């Protein structure tokens, strides 16, 4: 597989001796673990390491705050407007640190704190610089839709 990939350009590899993170988890697994922890605990500062693209990273839960309720409004591609009120939420602020380059990135997850959807992101916010911000909203729950109002 490496030979096939190297035909498209150089392949980055991280051997076990150079790896600073012993865990085999990736980014999404690390986010899932810390998101669930953010809902359960009141203590920020927890970190997990993970590997991605032959680089070591550390994901840290920087801050968490309870959010009693939040109204989220957005428009689907079809033009349909969606307006939901979610209750019992947690706003979790994360930082990702690239151990090789020293670069740090931050993002926020608005997490559901209810039992049936604990830790599910209702809203994801990422602002890499002052002029661009991406906000992703949970669209809908289609089967047996959960009413948060």
């Amino acid at each position: 597989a490496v030979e096939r990939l190297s035909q498209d350009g150089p392949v980055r590899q991280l051997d076990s001796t150079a790896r600073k993170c012993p865990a085999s988890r990736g980014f999404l697994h690390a986010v899932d673990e810390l998101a669930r922890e953010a809902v359960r605990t009141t203590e920020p500062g927890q970190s997990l390491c993970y590997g991605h693209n032959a680089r070591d990273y550390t994901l840290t839960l920087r801050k968490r705050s309870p959010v009693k309720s939040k109204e989220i409004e957005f428009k689907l591609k079809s033009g349909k407007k969606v307006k939901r009120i979610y209750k019992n939420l947690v706003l979790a602020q994360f930082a990702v640190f690239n151990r090789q380059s020293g670069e740090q990135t931050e993002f926020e997850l608005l997490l559901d704190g209810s039992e049936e959807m604990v830790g599910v992101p209702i809203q994801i916010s990422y602002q890499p610089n002052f002029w661009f911000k991406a906000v992703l909203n949970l669209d809908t729950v289609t089967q047996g839709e959960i009413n948060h109002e």
Side-chain angles (χ1 to χ4, degrees):
V2 172
E3 290 173 12
R4 185 174 45 84
L5 290 172
S6 63
Q7 294 171 357
D8 294 333
V11 174
R12 193 175 320 155
Q13 294 182 8
L14 183 63
D15 64 22
S16 58
T17 57
R19 188 144 195 210
K20 295 174 179 68
C21 177
S24 62
R25 72 176 70 85
F27 173 72
L28 292 177
H29 188 185
V31 170
D32 182 54
E33 283 185 51
L34 279 185
R36 288 175 185 275
E37 200 57 38
V39 173
R40 284 192 283 258
T41 185
T42 59
E43 296 296 318
Q46 297 152 339
S47 295
L48 290 175
C49 65
Y50 68 93
H52 174 70
N53 198 15
R55 292 196 175 149
D56 290 314
Y57 293 87
T58 301
L59 176 67
T60 302
L61 174 60
R62 307 264 324 259
K63 186 177 178 185
R64 57 138 354 252
S65 342
V67 177
K68 192 174 182 176
S69 70
K70 179 160 181 168
E71 181 177 286
I72 296 178
E73 210 172 323
F74 57 95
K75 194 186 290 186
L76 299 176
K77 277 184 170 181
S78 65
K80 177 185 172 190
K81 288 184 182 179
V82 176
K83 181 177 174 181
R84 294 253 164 82
I85 297 173
Y86 293 93
K87 295 182 180 182
N88 187 26
L89 305 169
V90 172
L91 179 62
Q93 297 172 335
F94 294 93
V96 175
F97 179 70
N98 180 322
R99 292 183 180 191
Q100 278 79 7
S101 71
E103 182 181 327
Q104 183 166 296
T105 305
E106 297 180 354
F107 65 95
E108 293 181 346
L109 299 180
L110 186 61
L111 302 164
D112 195 320
S114 66
E115 268 190 51
E116 57 273 349
M117 288 180 50
V118 67
V120 172
I122 302 300
Q123 190 174 67
I124 302 170
S125 300
Y126 173 64
Q127 187 168 358
N129 54 47
F130 75 94
W131 56 269
F132 178 78
K133 183 175 184 176
V135 177
L136 303 173
N137 294 300
L138 180 65
D139 181 353
T140 57
V141 179
T142 54
Q143 295 178 353
E145 191 164 300
I146 296 170
N147 186 1
H148 287 274
E149 298 185 74

